[in-house]
């Protein structure tokens, strides 16, 4: 584990040395951006550090309403609700939907927040093979006695794959299933306006699709949110014990969210840039014959058959002042990987530096 001695940008400081940073999830480079920091500091001056109360009691501030209004506008939905972390979003949403389904159909490499979010009242969980819509359909076909809900990551955190939502949605319609997408890694990145995986597949306004999202990745802030119909958001605000029983998002975090949504709207070129950078790096990695994935997202894994080789690459990069971790993360995987992420703020020189180091390591070690 690297102990940071700076904030995150295209470089970070570890052990008093500077490293190029191809890790984490700061895809648009907003986490350390000057406008956001200025807004956060003036917000702390006015509102302090915490509202020290839950939203349903005395913790709702005008700032929360402003943030939720901006999120609704960004997502083109009637209303939005914010809460303490993206991780809690799946539990909050699945709880709000629990009367509408009796079995849940889950991608087998789903994020742990999805697994932790399954309501205890749901009698049956089925795992379909990763991104395999045919297997999903087989499971739905043979389990018609249930009211189904399908849930998947939109973009997978470790592999950067985009779930085949277009095909999954057709199946969801055929079997009258609700579809939930955890879009933590797609918000702000995919789709014409950065609204995420459904928008990427032109499913943005389709019925029976719900998204859970976070402000902690491309938005560079913190906290989870759900945008949707006034009805579902109202239900969460009135009934969710997680929402009602936890302290409201604190002033600096709300201010960061507000500033970041504004930046997203003002600077659509950041989205274009991160995907341009990602495509460039992925193409180079593929040309070196490393095993990786093909979808154009900022997460670019380099797969290995052994932990030893994954560690060796990550360590070699570190020795060359580049951070790209060999991740240990609670998602089911049958390969070892170095997780490279690119952002809109990486320069061509920095990217070419990474590519040169990858090339040198490959020349000495091969690609397995
Ligand atoms: C797919 C997915 N969902 C949810 C989360 C949790 O989001 P947060 O870290 O904002 O709580 C993550 C974070 O890594 C994630 O990768």
């Amino acid at each position: 584990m690297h102990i940071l001695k700076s904030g995150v940008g295209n470089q970070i400081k570890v052990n008093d040395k500077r490293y190029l940073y191809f890790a984490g999830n700061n895809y648009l480079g907003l986490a350390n951006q000057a406008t956001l920091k200025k807004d956060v500091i003036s917000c702390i001056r006015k509102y302090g550090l915490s509202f020290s109360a839950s939203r349903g009691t005395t913790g709702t501030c005008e700032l929360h309403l402003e943030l939720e209004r901006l999120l609704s506008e960004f997502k083109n939905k009637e209303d939005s609700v914010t809460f303490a972390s993206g991780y809690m979003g799946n539990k909050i949403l699945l709880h709000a939907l629990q009367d509408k389904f009796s079995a849940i159909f889950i991608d087998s490499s789903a994020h742990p927040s999805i697994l932790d979010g399954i309501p205890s009242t749901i009698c049956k969980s089925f795992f379909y093979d990763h991104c395999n819509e045919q297997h999903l359909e087989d499971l739905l076909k043979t389990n018609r006695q249930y009211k189904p809900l399908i849930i998947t990551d939109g973009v997978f955190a470790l592999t950067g794959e985009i779930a085949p939502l277009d095909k999954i949605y057709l199946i969801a319609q055929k079997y009258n299933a609700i579809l939930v997408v955890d879009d933590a890694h797609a918000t702000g990145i995919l789709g014409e306006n950065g609204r995420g995986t459904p928008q990427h597949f032109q499913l943005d306004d389709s019925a029976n699709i719900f998204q859970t999202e976070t402000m902690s990745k491309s938005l560079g802030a913190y906290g989870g949110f759900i945008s949707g119909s006034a009805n579902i958001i109202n239900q969460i605000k009135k009934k969710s014990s997680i929402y009602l029983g936890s302290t409201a998002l604190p002033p600096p975090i709300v201010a960061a969210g507000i500033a970041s949504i504004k930046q997203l709207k003002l600077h659509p070129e950041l989205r274009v840039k991160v995907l341009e950078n990602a495509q460039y790096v992925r193409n180079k990695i593929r040309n070196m014959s490393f095993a990786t994935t093909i979808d154009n997202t900022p997460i670019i894994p380099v797969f290995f058959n052994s932990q030893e080789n994954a560690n060796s690459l990550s360590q070699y990069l570190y020795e060359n002042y580049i951070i790209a971790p060999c991740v240990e993360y609670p998602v089911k995987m049958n390969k070892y990987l170095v997780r490279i992420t690119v952002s809109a703020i990486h320069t061509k020189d920095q990217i070419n530096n990474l590519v040169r180091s990858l090339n040198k390591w490959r020349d000495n070690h091969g690609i397995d």
Side-chain angles (χ1 to χ4, degrees):
M1 190 201 290
H2 304 298
I3 309 298
L4 311 185
K5 292 208 172 170
S6 70
V8 294
N10 52 18
Q11 299 182 40
I12 56 167
K13 220 165 151 193
V14 174
N15 295 331
D16 294 323
K17 293 198 177 75
R18 292 218 155 266
Y19 291 78
L20 293 183
Y21 188 58
F22 287 96
N25 311 297
N26 180 24
Y27 305 127
L28 299 180
L30 294 176
N32 213 348
Q33 203 236 34
T35 318
L36 266 74
K37 291 198 278 192
K38 195 167 123 285
D39 286 3
V40 167
I41 290 164
S42 53
C43 177
I44 292 174
R45 288 209 177 96
K46 181 164 177 193
Y47 294 97
L49 295 177
S50 174
F51 294 112
S52 287
S54 61
R55 288 288 302 274
T57 57
T58 54
T60 293
C61 169
E62 56 188 347
L63 289 175
H64 295 111
L65 303 183
E66 167 74 349
L67 174 58
E68 287 166 358
R69 189 189 63 73
L70 286 169
L71 287 168
S72 304
E73 189 184 289
F74 159 51
K75 297 291 302 182
N76 196 28
K77 299 286 180 200
E78 283 176 356
D79 203 357
S80 298
V81 56
T82 55
F83 38 84
S85 82
Y87 198 98
M88 299 312 298
N90 292 313
K91 200 172 182 77
I92 291 172
L93 182 63
L94 291 176
H95 187 266
L97 294 172
Q98 70 181 336
D99 292 342
K100 298 185 177 7
F101 69 104
S102 59
I104 183 162
F105 295 74
I106 311 166
D107 185 289
S108 55
S109 293
H111 190 265
S113 59
I114 291 179
L115 309 184
D116 285 346
I118 301 171
S120 53
T121 49
I122 294 310
C123 55
K124 205 76 184 140
S125 305
F126 298 96
F127 289 86
Y128 62 92
D129 293 347
H130 179 50
C131 286
N132 184 335
E133 70 279 357
Q134 189 52 58
H135 188 218
L136 167 65
E137 176 152 21
D138 292 346
L139 288 173
L140 285 161
K141 205 183 288 176
T142 48
N143 292 285
R144 283 181 187 264
Q145 69 273 34
Y146 298 108
K147 280 194 285 177
L149 179 145
I150 303 164
I151 188 163
T152 178
D153 300 34
V155 168
F156 287 84
L158 296 188
T159 64
E161 294 159 292
I162 302 174
L165 223 56
D166 47 349
K167 299 182 186 119
I168 292 177
Y169 185 64
L170 287 178
I171 294 170
Q173 280 183 307
K174 189 165 160 190
Y175 292 86
N176 212 6
I178 297 169
L179 175 55
V180 174
V181 184
D182 177 338
D183 242 356
H185 294 273
T187 299
I189 303 292
L190 292 189
E192 200 188 336
N193 310 90
R195 290 185 194 139
T197 318
Q199 192 181 39
H200 174 78
F201 286 109
Q202 276 90 45
L203 292 171
D204 213 21
D205 298 320
S206 307
N208 283 333
I209 297 191
F210 297 85
Q211 278 167 283
T212 52
E213 305 184 62
T214 180
M215 291 176 278
S216 71
K217 303 191 193 303
S218 68
L219 297 181
Y222 194 77
F225 73 97
I226 296 169
S227 299
S229 67
N231 192 20
I232 188 86
I233 301 304
N234 200 25
Q235 193 187 329
I236 292 170
K237 288 188 175 174
K238 289 257 155 36
K239 297 223 174 100
S240 165
S241 51
I242 299 175
Y243 174 80
L244 292 169
S246 48
T247 299
L249 279 183
I253 296 305
V254 188
I258 291 172
S260 123
I261 293 289
K262 288 181 179 165
Q263 289 298 302
L264 206 61
K265 193 170 171 188
L266 280 173
H267 296 290
E269 74 278 5
L270 291 175
R271 244 184 2 258
V272 175
K273 186 70 187 164
V274 68
L275 290 180
E276 231 173 67
N277 283 347
Q279 188 76 71
Y280 180 83
V281 173
R282 198 180 304 269
N283 285 345
K284 293 281 182 195
I285 285 176
R286 293 183 73 196
N287 289 343
M288 286 178 229
S289 302
F290 280 121
T292 186
T293 51
I294 54 173
D295 294 326
N296 190 17
T297 66
I299 305 163
I300 308 162
V302 181
F303 292 120
F304 292 100
N305 293 321
S306 77
Q307 176 90 60
E308 201 186 335
N309 279 348
N311 283 338
S312 163
L313 173 59
S314 183
Q315 181 60 27
Y316 176 81
L317 293 174
Y318 184 67
E319 283 157 16
N320 286 278
Y321 299 98
I322 296 171
I323 290 189
C326 177
V327 288
E328 282 177 35
Y329 200 72
V331 169
K332 200 172 138 219
M333 291 287 302
N334 53 7
K335 293 235 177 219
Y336 302 93
L337 63 93
V338 173
R339 180 179 187 265
I340 294 172
T341 55
V342 294
S343 77
I345 54 171
H346 282 118
T347 65
K348 252 302 160 11
D349 275 356
Q350 291 172 331
I351 288 173
N352 284 331
N353 191 336
L354 167 73
V355 169
R356 268 194 307 278
S357 292
L358 288 167
N359 239 324
K360 277 193 198 148
W361 185 89
R362 187 210 51 174
D363 288 349
N364 289 326
H365 294 81
I367 53 165
D368 292 328

